[in-house]
Amino acid sequence: MQFKRPDIIRPPSEWGSYFLPLTSGCSNNTCTFCSYYGSKLQTRPVDDIKAEIDALALFMKSSICLPTIPKVVYYVAQDWDGKKVFLQDGDALVYPFPKLREVLQYLNEKFPNLERVGIYATGQDILRRSVDELKDLKKLKLDIFYMGIESGANEVLQKVNKGVNYDQLVEAGRKTKEAGIILSVTTILGLGGVENSAKHTLETARILTDIDPGYVGALTLTLVPGTPLYEQSQRGEFHPISPFQSLEELRVIIENSSFTSCFFSSMHASNYLSVRGRLPQDKRRMLEKLEYVLAKEDNSLLRPEFMRGL
Ligand code: SF4
């Protein structure tokens, strides 16, 4: 079957990267809230990836576009500075290890000024690799993993079919850090619904403290039509929290977590309010902003629903 190039879904901080697909879909396609739910994982042949890297190198050197290469390659490349690459798709770390090394080696060869490669990695993907293997990838400049934690509460992780538990996520985080790879994690406000809100937030604060990552991105649950969680909410079996409750969850997570040095943000377009700062030093300022908005309960202070994005 011919490889179907995935749409570009990327962490906000990868905006300047070149997006190179290794896979399409997600190998752990069971999470009931996610737009990758039920997606079929496709892995791309190495030769096909190398052909794209060759075409990219030619374009960067001589501005030559080959007719056999998809237009999106040149569209992304026109603003690229040759420094950062993001490997798609939903969990590209699932790509077979020897082939992943081969692709990284080729990227390094063709782009000697390459500074960093990033990738979405599930806890399961990371746990499958040894620390030595991860160190090997880091040497090839694969230097940031984006891992979705979503929640620290086992009950919530189980309900949304995340496929990993608290201890496994902590272990995946530990291995990443031991390999010297930057770890950026996400959590989802509202994932426990109204009933599990307190447990979700306190356990999320606890797992963030245990993992102690360099970056945390808080997202807010957006119910995606076609996903099981959306259907559950339509049937009245899942009760979403309100926008102000999502801010209260964010407040509790920030208040109850502690970090060595972490850039914590809710800048993602799914959130109702953008809060960011370095923890622990900016904790008070971030909490004060949240407390102010929570006290006002004024909708005009929130991002309007139509401007929220996934
Ligand atoms: S949340 Fe992550 S692991 Fe789960 S289906 Fe989506 S991309 Fe895959």
Side-chain angles (χ1 to χ4, degrees), residues 186-242:
T186 49
T187 66
I188 303 181
L189 305 170
L191 194 61
V194 171
E195 287 79 1
N196 283 315
S197 180
K199 195 179 294 171
H200 170 55
T201 44
L202 287 172
E203 286 295 279
T204 298
R206 189 164 77 88
I207 199 170
L208 291 177
T209 303
D210 277 352
I211 295 178
D212 196 17
Y215 296 86
V216 175
L219 280 60
T220 299
L221 178 67
T222 304
L223 291 165
V224 182
T227 58
L229 196 61
Y230 176 88
E231 303 300 335
Q232 284 164 24
S233 96
Q234 294 293 101
R235 292 195 299 268
E237 294 162 12
F238 176 81
H239 303 109
I241 59 171
S242 71

Side-chain angles (χ1 to χ4, degrees), residues 87-217:
L87 302 176
Q88 292 180 270
D89 192 22
D91 71 329
L93 192 64
V94 78
Y95 200 66
F97 183 73
K99 292 184 184 178
L100 180 55
R101 284 196 83 250
E102 193 178 338
V103 168
L104 289 168
Q105 256 162 352
Y106 202 64
L107 265 177
N108 278 280
E109 223 173 89
K110 294 287 170 177
F111 298 103
N113 295 328
L114 188 69
E115 289 178 358
R116 186 178 93 183
V117 182
I119 198 165
Y120 278 133
T122 61
Q124 292 92 322
D125 293 335
I126 298 168
L127 292 174
R128 269 193 291 271
R129 305 267 73 95
S130 69
V131 173
D132 283 344
E133 284 174 326
L134 298 180
K135 282 182 180 167
D136 204 16
L137 297 177
K138 179 180 160 87
K139 276 190 206 136
L140 294 167
K141 299 189 185 156
L142 184 54
D143 200 21
I144 184 162
F145 284 179
Y146 297 93
M147 178 173 78
I149 286 176
E150 332 305 5
S151 177
N154 276 330
E155 195 177 328
V156 175
L157 291 170
Q158 235 171 34
K159 276 199 163 140
V160 300
N161 272 339
K162 185 70 188 163
V164 271
N165 61 29
Y166 185 106
D167 291 343
Q168 288 167 316
L169 285 165
V170 171
E171 176 62 6
R174 185 198 64 73
K175 284 176 96 169
T176 305
K177 287 169 52 181
E178 195 183 331
I181 293 172
I182 299 164
L183 181 61
S184 177
V185 305
T186 49
T187 66
I188 303 181
L189 305 170
L191 194 61
V194 171
E195 287 79 1
N196 283 315
S197 180
K199 195 179 294 171
H200 170 55
T201 44
L202 287 172
E203 286 295 279
T204 298
R206 189 164 77 88
I207 199 170
L208 291 177
T209 303
D210 277 352
I211 295 178
D212 196 17
Y215 296 86
V216 175

Side-chain angles (χ1 to χ4, degrees), residues 26-31 33-37 90-91 122 150 162:
C26 171
S27 69
N28 182 58
N29 59 4
T30 56
C31 305
F33 57 87
C34 181
S35 56
Y36 282 96
Y37 178 85
D91 71 329
T122 61
E150 332 305 5
K162 185 70 188 163

